[in-house]
Structure formats: C-alpha cells, structure tokens
Amino acid sequence: MHALGFTDAQVTGAGADGGVDVIARDAIAQVKYYSQPIGVGPVRELRGVADSHHHLLFYASGGYTASARQFADEKEVALFSIQELGHITPLNAAAARFSDRPAPTAGRSRTRPGRGQAASGRGQAPNARATQRAAELEAQRQTVLRLITRVRAHTSEVHALPSNRYTKDLIKALKAAHKLIERADSLLARSRADFQTHRGRKQLIATADEKAREAALKLGMRA
C-alpha cells in the first residue's frame, strides 16, 4: 500500500481492527492467507465497515470466488493476489487502477519487478527473502490460531448450556469439532519444527486451516 501511494498505511492491532487489517487516512485493507478462494462475505464486510472516503483493498493468497469478484467490481473494491516472495498482482480493474498510479515521491521509491524477476526473487538479498517468507508464514499461522481460539470459545459457550439443550446431533458436532481442532493445533505445532522446509511448513499450516474451518462449520460458525 505504501508503494501504491498510501504512505501512511499501518497495520492495525489484533482484536481492535473491526475486520480491517491495514488502515490509512483514505484507505483500508483486509488480508487473508487462506488456501481456499475468498467468498463474497469477507469482501462485503470490508465494504460495510468503510467510510465513504475510503478506498478499499483486499489481498488474498487463495484467490476469490466468482461472486466475490462480481461484488468487488460493482463496489469498486480492489482485489489483489499475494504470492510467495511477496509478489502482489492486481486481479480486477479497481486494483489495476491503483497499480498504474505514479509512484509516491516523498522519500519512497517504487521499483516494479518484471514477471520473471518476481518469480525467481532476483534483486532481493537471500536473508531478506527468507525473513519475508518467514513473516508470511507466521501471518498465516496467526490467522489459523485466531480461528482455533474462536472455535474453542464457542465450544465453551455450548458446554455452558443447560443439559436439556443437548441433543445427539449437538454432542456429535462437539466431539467432531474437538477432534478437528486438536488436529489443527498439532499441525501448527509441527509447522514450527526446525526440520520442516518452507514448503512443508506452508502445507501444514494450510491443512491446519482446513481442519479449523471444518470444525467451525460443524458448530455452525462462520469461518
């Protein structure tokens, strides 16, 4: 966002962002490191929390559904794809217009790597690439952890219900969700092991994300 001209963009604090991950004076953004395409829901939520003067930007690693793209086009939400090594690609007309804006001149320059250069990572120091990739994985891991925390909090609320509210289906759903969350937790723990490669860590986090989302669905939660 700095490179797009939003030089005052800052990451919001966890838990206090109201569904917004990055905020600037005249723009807000949401960032999702999911293995599946983003549906229309999160894009609509971003539109809902924005003021009339805000530009809206959405970044996702797993792409977008057709309905999400249609809504974004109608509401002028800029959709971007995040790939490995931090390569960001505009995916709709609104995003392309941002990318075509002149680079900011106030102490910050922007270089636009060629497609081959971005894919190979040339032009970045190896240590910088490694640090960036580690940060991306940690962001994905934290997203899954937040979902696990939500599921566990919801499970605690369900356990607090009077016994006469329990049904066979509810008990079955609670057991299934518990097993899935424990599995997700285990996968995240494995993803931090020193012997894991970057690819291995990424796959473990993606699988943990799938298990946590499945657990949320078992309990009727929005993942």
Side-chain angles (χ1 to χ4, degrees):
M1 288 179 67
H2 288 163
L4 296 178
F6 303 108
T7 55
D8 61 335
Q10 294 184 346
V11 176
T12 60
D17 57 10
V20 176
D21 291 320
V22 186
I23 188 165
R25 180 178 57 83
D26 57 351
I28 58 175
Q30 181 66 280
V31 184
K32 296 291 188 186
Y33 281 98
Y34 290 166
S35 54
Q36 299 92 356
I38 297 296
V40 69
V43 184
R44 184 181 286 117
E45 289 171 6
L46 181 64
R47 174 70 273 175
V49 299
D51 292 333
S52 58
H53 66 278
H54 278 142
H55 296 293
L56 306 179
L57 297 85
F58 208 113
Y59 297 84
S61 58
Y64 304 86
T65 64
S67 58
R69 285 174 174 264
Q70 180 179 352
F71 180 85
D73 289 341
E74 292 172 355
K75 302 299 182 180
E76 288 293 305
V77 180
L79 301 182
F80 295 89
S81 170
I82 306 176
Q83 302 300 325
E84 287 202 46
L85 301 178
H87 185 210
I88 296 174
T89 305
L91 295 182
N92 66 350
R97 284 194 291 272
F98 282 126
S99 299
D100 291 338
R101 285 162 51 161
T105 57
R108 186 181 295 273
S109 62
R110 174 174 62 172
T111 57
R112 193 181 285 266
R115 187 167 300 196
Q117 180 182 353
S120 66
R122 290 194 298 272
Q124 272 188 303
N127 286 345
R129 291 202 305 273
T131 300
Q132 185 177 30
R133 292 172 71 177
E136 290 169 359
L137 285 182
E138 185 58 29
Q140 295 173 27
R141 187 182 289 113
Q142 291 301 320
T143 297
V144 180
L145 280 173
R146 286 195 292 271
L147 179 55
I148 289 174
T149 300
R150 283 177 52 214
V151 172
R152 284 182 168 151
H154 184 77
T155 301
S156 297
E157 293 173 2
V158 174
H159 279 304
L161 292 173
S163 57
N164 61 1
R165 296 278 300 277
Y166 279 78
T167 64
K168 288 183 178 180
D169 287 342
L170 179 58
I171 293 171
K172 184 178 179 181
L174 284 170
K175 288 181 177 179
H178 175 74
K179 290 181 66 174
L180 287 164
I181 285 300
E182 290 301 308
R183 178 60 175 157
D185 234 353
S186 173
L187 289 164
L188 285 186
R190 284 177 57 195
S191 75
R192 301 184 75 98
D194 290 339
F195 63 84
Q196 294 288 355
T197 63
H198 176 81
R199 184 187 295 272
R201 289 190 177 98
K202 187 171 184 178
Q203 182 59 51
L204 287 167
I205 293 169
T207 306
D209 180 58
E210 292 172 3
K211 300 298 181 185
R213 287 170 173 276
E214 188 178 347
L217 290 174
K218 293 284 186 185
L219 298 173
M221 297 174 59
R222 290 182 59 186

